[in-house]
Amino acid sequence: MTLIAIMAMMAIFAIMLLAVAPSVQHEIQREKELESIRRGEEIAEAIRQYVGFYRGAKLPESMDDLLEGLPQGTKKRMILRPSAATDPLSEDGKWRLIQPGPKEIAAFAKRVQTFNNGLLPDNRRGKDDPDGPHLDRYAVQILVNLNTGTEDETDSSDDEDFDVATDNQPFIGVSSQSRSKSVIAYYGIERHSNWIFTPLFRGYGTTVAGPSRGGSGSGSGFGSGSGSDSGIRPPIRPGSSPR
């Protein structure tokens, strides 16, 4: 084989590598996002257990509060794996702590509602769920905001800078610090910083929330839907993750 033939083969090989590089990078990013969602939803479940244990009177103020677990006799019951406390999408690996105020949570709830064709999940996993009622107290103001605000107002946080608090702040959810556009759509949302992992609005029924088509409030309430027939969809639709 001549030198020219070898160089030609190397050039073809290099072109082939360049052709597959974008798809490889796409797959790597997709896996990072899936892992971030898995960890975020683990944290949401840990928050749910924490709020339920303290009967809604107390929120975690740091990731350490969740990692330390909950008292169970003379021991501690673990509610969060250490690996979940690290966000694979943030440069420093720290989750952004989301306060229970309506500003960001209301915008996220509006997207969840839109994703579910106008249905907003409640906070309860069935009639006998002991934790759901304790979460309701943190959702009331958010429902009021949805009922009295316009769609533009609830979506306004997309274009605003957000404060990054990673410790010493009561939180009802977490989000990534990354502002990048995502490969995966989570509740139809395609930006990492707008994914909020919270136990709020993850129940099996539906609430009555959001302004009506005519612009007037429609009232608010919890548990007005019913179980598996409520039409609530999973945050990532089957088959829609790769794009």
Side-chain angles (χ1 to χ4, degrees):
M1 184 177 294
T2 65
L3 180 60
I4 294 177
I6 294 174
M7 292 178 64
M9 291 181 63
M10 290 178 64
I12 293 172
F13 184 67
I15 292 171
M16 291 174 62
L17 287 178
L18 289 173
V20 300
S23 62
V24 171
Q25 184 61 36
H26 182 281
E27 186 61 23
I28 291 173
Q29 181 63 24
R30 177 180 176 275
E31 288 303 316
K32 285 180 65 175
E33 290 178 2
L34 284 173
E35 183 60 27
S36 182
I37 290 171
R38 279 191 287 266
R39 296 182 184 186
E41 295 200 331
E42 281 188 48
I43 294 173
E45 177 58 27
I47 295 172
R48 180 184 182 86
Q49 293 183 49
Y50 190 96
V51 171
F53 181 84
Y54 289 104
R55 303 183 66 82
K58 183 180 179 181
L59 288 174
E61 296 188 5
S62 70
M63 205 58 64
D64 287 340
D65 286 345
L66 300 178
L67 290 171
E68 288 173 5
L70 297 171
Q72 189 174 54
T74 58
K75 299 181 179 181
K76 290 273 190 174
R77 174 169 61 87
M78 295 297 101
I79 58 175
L80 185 69
R81 295 181 304 133
S83 60
T86 300
D87 173 24
L89 299 176
S90 297
E91 289 186 4
D92 62 2
K94 294 182 178 180
W95 291 99
R96 182 166 63 97
L97 307 184
I98 305 298
Q99 292 181 295
K103 182 180 178 182
E104 286 190 84
I105 297 288
F108 177 70
K110 182 63 178 178
R111 298 185 189 103
V112 173
Q113 186 180 31
T114 300
F115 180 77
N116 284 292
N117 296 322
L119 299 175
L120 182 64
D122 62 12
N123 303 311
R124 308 188 185 198
R125 297 174 178 174
K127 295 179 180 179
D128 299 325
D129 176 21
D131 299 331
H134 301 307
L135 292 168
D136 289 349
R137 64 183 296 178
Y138 296 103
V140 168
Q141 184 57 43
I142 297 165
L143 290 178
V144 170
N145 186 275
L146 284 176
N147 291 329
T148 58
T150 64
E151 186 170 349
D152 290 340
E153 287 173 341
T154 53
D155 287 343
S156 62
S157 64
D158 284 349
D159 301 322
E160 295 177 1
D161 290 333
F162 50 75
D163 296 328
V164 177
T166 60
D167 204 0
N168 299 320
Q169 171 174 287
F171 64 100
I172 194 68
V174 297
S175 181
S176 179
Q177 296 182 55
S178 169
R179 299 172 184 260
S180 299
K181 185 176 175 62
S182 64
V183 172
I184 292 173
Y186 181 76
Y187 282 117
I189 305 167
E190 298 180 343
R191 189 170 301 280
H192 300 148
S193 57
N194 290 338
W195 295 352
I196 295 181
F197 304 103
T198 174
L200 299 180
F201 313 118
R202 294 301 299 269
Y204 301 154
T206 58
T207 65
V208 177
S212 64
R213 295 286 183 181
S216 61
S218 61
S220 62
F222 297 101
S224 56
S226 61
S228 60
D229 295 329
S230 64
I232 301 304
R233 300 171 177 174
I236 302 177
R237 294 179 181 174
S240 64
S241 300
R243 291 184 359 190

